[in-house]
Amino acid sequence: MTITYEYEGALYVNLTNKCNCNCEFCLRHGKAQGSIYTEDSLWLEREPTRQEALDSFLGRDVCSYREIVFCGYGEPTYRLDDILWLVDELKKRFGDKLPPVRINTNGHANLILGRDVCPELKGRIDTLSISLNSDNAADYAALCHPIQGEAAYQAMLDFAGEAKHYVPNVVFTIVDKDKSPEEIQNCKDIAANLGVKLRIRSFIDS
């Protein structure tokens, strides 16, 4: 069972396969172009306990990595309470030597957990990388298929706008494939209006 794995000098953490979306481009569909994974390498036969995840961390030279990233095949914030526990435990052990912590997320944590989690991120999470994916709710829902429908798009925007008050680095991401210059500009405007960054990623088709 792969709990932690290395990529480009960072330590990635895989805690869940659960997700409230079914994105057209997701690696879960076997679309592994440009991916560091084989198609089944991150599937979990069961979710690891928080202690198992901590043990996986402590089996590595944690402070040698440039960043710790909670990612994987699922939406990490399904395990947010465990993520925050893990960060607290690591900070107890490594203090200021602990690398920066990032969560790669769809931005639906408040929808998933039924509470405002943003204040809980303060002092624990350094970067939130949020998949914006589209410049409007209808296209977003058609692409990502969140179980909450189009409402998930506004919830994601609201999450990003609030999270910036607690997390030093909040970044929207989009992939440039099939995006018109107008759509890309709209995404830039959305990010700017919310006071967060936008990262435009190049699509890699191998």
Side-chain angles (χ1 to χ4, degrees):
M1 179 166 64
T2 302
I3 301 174
T4 59
Y5 57 101
E6 301 175 355
Y7 181 62
E8 293 187 341
L11 183 62
Y12 282 69
V13 192
N14 179 38
L15 294 180
T16 186
N17 291 150
K18 293 179 183 175
C19 193
N20 64 314
C21 292
N22 186 26
C23 298
E24 296 285 340
F25 52 82
C26 185
L27 295 174
R28 296 156 72 102
H29 300 306
K31 298 178 181 179
Q33 297 98 329
S35 170
I36 64 171
Y37 321 121
T38 60
E39 293 176 12
D40 61 356
S41 62
L42 294 183
W43 282 112
L44 298 165
E45 60 266 25
R46 61 174 176 82
E47 291 193 349
T49 67
R50 54 172 57 173
Q51 186 61 52
E52 286 174 326
L54 181 60
D55 291 344
S56 183
F57 270 111
L58 298 180
R60 297 179 178 272
D61 184 4
V62 174
C63 297
S64 69
Y65 298 99
R66 62 175 175 81
E67 191 175 27
I68 293 170
V69 185
F70 289 90
C71 190
Y73 271 172
E75 167 51 42
T77 59
Y78 271 95
R79 299 286 304 272
L80 184 65
D81 291 343
D82 293 322
I83 289 174
L84 300 181
W85 180 85
L86 285 165
V87 172
D88 287 347
E89 291 298 312
L90 293 172
K91 282 182 176 291
K92 287 178 188 176
R93 288 165 171 79
F94 303 111
D96 293 340
K97 294 181 180 179
L98 187 71
V101 178
R102 165 161 53 109
I103 301 177
N104 290 353
T105 178
N106 60 21
H108 299 163
N110 290 350
L111 278 179
I112 291 167
L113 299 175
R115 69 178 192 272
D116 177 14
V117 304
C118 293
E120 301 170 43
L121 307 179
K122 186 175 181 179
R124 290 159 157 163
I125 307 304
D126 300 288
T127 298
L128 283 173
S129 179
I130 302 172
S131 299
L132 178 61
N133 290 325
S134 179
D135 64 349
N136 67 86
D139 288 346
Y140 179 86
L143 180 65
C144 300
H145 306 289
I147 59 175
Q148 297 90 353
E150 292 186 14
Y153 185 75
Q154 186 61 50
M156 177 259 294
L157 299 183
D158 292 343
F159 176 76
E162 186 186 357
K164 70 180 182 184
H165 299 296
Y166 303 97
V167 176
N169 194 31
V170 178
V171 184
F172 278 141
T173 65
I174 60 170
V175 176
D176 59 9
K177 180 179 170 61
D178 299 328
K179 292 281 192 303
S180 69
E182 181 182 7
E183 287 174 305
I184 290 175
Q185 184 58 53
N186 288 343
C187 290
K188 289 179 178 178
D189 292 342
I190 289 168
N193 289 337
L194 287 172
V196 304
K197 300 174 185 175
L198 177 69
R199 178 184 174 214
I200 302 170
R201 299 168 53 208
S202 297
F203 178 75
I204 302 172
D205 189 347
S206 59

